[in-house]
Amino acid sequence: MVYDIAIVGGGPAGLAAAVNARRRNKETLLVSKETMSSKLVQAEQIENYLGIPQISGSELIGRMRNHAEAEGVINLKDEVQNIYQEDRLFSLIGRENAFQAKTVVLAPGISTTAEIVGEADFVGRGVSYCATCDGMFFKGKAVAMIGYIPEAESEAAFLSEICAQVHYFPQYNLATELGPKVNVVHGKPQKILGRDKVERLITSAGEFEVSGIFIERAGRPANELLDGLQIENGFIRVDFAQATNLPGVFAAGDCTGKPWQISRAVGQGQVAALSAAHFLNDNQD
Ligand SMILES: Cc1cc2nc3c(=O)[nH]c(=O)nc-3n(C[C@H](O)[C@H](O)[C@H](O)COP(=O)(O)OP(=O)(O)OC[C@H]3O[C@@H](n4cnc5c(N)ncnc54)[C@H](O)[C@@H]3O)c2cc1C
């Protein structure tokens, strides 16, 4: 069978694309290597998704998945390893299956490799990659921000407005002043320690008692999937219609850039699906 729209990735971006593709009556396949986005499953509490003031990540992604299934999306668990185009059709090669589709929406998220000892163990229990999402959980407490890229500086400044103390560990040559409320420490993070939650950060410049550790590093996009796909600053380049440089290929969610947020992923997923539907209608034989 040739699908109208094949979506790679079953996180908020992919599921929003799938629901909206079905609303446009398109035969829709969603392929995801995880049944539930591990990013969302790690999110203990989400407090900034409009209309749902408090919900766990697992519950939210479960609801999104049920919604897509109720719309008639075909859901398959597989990892897409390669996509190529032949005679105006896209072939998606998975580990176990191969599929064909007229258009593709890429929504594979990003992978950030955990590098600090203890980091992976404490994700959602004090380790966070998003100050907007989790900053408020640490109101009035001491936190650390480990910045591998200068973008982390504005996050440290934001945290200093709400936290009692912010220790900033730049892992690059810091060229700017961060203001009196941010304690800049030139040290390499070595280990994260705690019982149930983060309690201490061990660095080459000493030990720091903190309740939260924010980490900001560049993500690695899944750009090996498709030959010729344009990447900009590490992310898939898209226009306002979520179109990539390749006709018939759209992208949405974290893989297209920051902020890495659910609402952005959902909005972009919807736009990508509608753009794919327009593309199909404009390119009918
Ligand atoms: C601990 C934590 C807390 C967070 N809290 C919040 C919050 O409070 N508020 C907020 O807005 N955001 C929060 N986020 C961020 C939010 O989870 C992401 O922005 C969102 O999940 C991005 O959605 P996405 O669909 O782009 O990618 P993802 O959710 O990462 O989904 C991508 C999916 O694609 C799959 N995939 C990848 N490659 C392939 C492939 N080759 N073939 C098939 N499938 C593939 C992946 O397995 C994954 O399931 C949090 C993240 C974390 C880690």
Side-chain angles (χ1 to χ4, degrees):
M1 154 158 202
V2 177
Y3 293 95
D4 292 322
I5 304 179
I7 299 161
V8 181
L15 289 165
V19 166
N20 287 283
R22 287 298 300 144
R23 304 294 301 170
R24 299 299 293 208
N25 201 29
K26 302 299 178 196
E27 289 299 337
T28 307
L29 170 73
L30 185 139
V31 191
S32 192
K33 70 176 178 196
E34 299 165 324
T35 347
M36 306 276 251
S37 154
S38 53
K39 289 258 158 39
L40 268 192
V41 169
Q42 284 171 355
E44 228 170 271
Q45 186 88 294
I46 290 157
E47 299 190 346
N48 68 340
Y49 191 65
L50 191 64
I52 310 178
Q54 281 203 339
I55 189 164
S56 72
S58 310
E59 188 176 350
L60 184 59
I61 192 74
R63 285 196 202 178
M64 289 175 171
R65 214 181 142 76
N66 291 343
H67 188 171
E69 277 169 5
E71 292 284 349
V73 173
I74 297 165
N75 252 318
L76 272 174
K77 189 167 187 288
D78 201 347
E79 180 178 357
V80 176
Q81 300 194 297
N82 186 241
I83 303 172
Y84 62 89
Q85 192 178 15
E86 209 171 43
D87 297 333
R88 296 176 63 191
L89 286 185
F90 292 96
S91 294
L92 292 86
I93 313 301
R95 276 188 192 278
E96 290 165 27
N97 307 282
F99 320 95
Q100 281 198 311
K102 295 175 192 165
T103 61
V104 175
V105 174
L106 298 171
I110 42 123
S111 63
T112 43
T113 321
E115 287 167 358
I116 305 164
V117 178
E119 178 180 336
D121 302 331
F122 287 104
V123 174
R125 296 191 295 129
V127 167
S128 170
Y129 303 99
C130 172
T132 311
C133 310
D134 298 331
M136 282 300 180
F137 295 128
F138 302 97
K139 197 172 177 181
K141 297 182 178 167
V143 299
M145 163 62 89
I146 303 166
Y148 291 86
I149 48 175
E151 282 81 352
E153 292 163 21
S154 58
E155 302 293 82
F158 160 63
L159 288 170
S160 74
E161 290 172 20
I162 51 175
C163 298
Q165 206 174 16
V166 178
H167 306 290
Y168 185 60
F169 297 85
Q171 303 301 301
Y172 56 91
N173 283 334
L174 179 69
T176 39
E177 291 281 326
L178 293 190
K181 289 168 82 186
V182 178
N183 174 35
V184 176
V185 186
H186 294 282
K188 204 173 157 33
Q190 293 170 330
K191 208 171 185 177
I192 296 168
L193 294 177
R195 274 159 288 182
D196 293 342
K197 298 207 170 210
V198 165
E199 289 170 11
R200 261 180 313 146
L201 175 65
I202 314 294
T203 76
S204 58
E207 293 193 16
F208 295 80
E209 280 193 23
V210 288
S211 307
I213 299 176
F214 290 82
I215 302 170
E216 185 93 12
R217 57 166 78 92
R220 285 189 292 121
N223 58 341
E224 298 103 16
L225 277 181
L226 196 49
D227 258 0
L229 186 68
Q230 211 173 338
I231 302 294
E232 199 170 69
N233 299 325
F235 298 106
I236 299 173
R237 186 170 175 222
V238 287
D239 63 14
F240 286 115
Q242 301 303 130
T244 69
N245 62 309
L246 303 175
V249 180
F250 304 83
D254 284 3
C255 67
T256 67
K258 297 191 92 173
W260 296 333
Q261 292 279 278
I262 303 160
S263 341
R264 177 178 179 273
V266 166
Q268 288 195 340
Q270 186 203 31
V271 174
L274 297 184
S275 299
H278 280 303
F279 180 89
L280 286 165
N281 297 342
D282 291 347
N283 289 279
Q284 271 170 354
D285 291 326

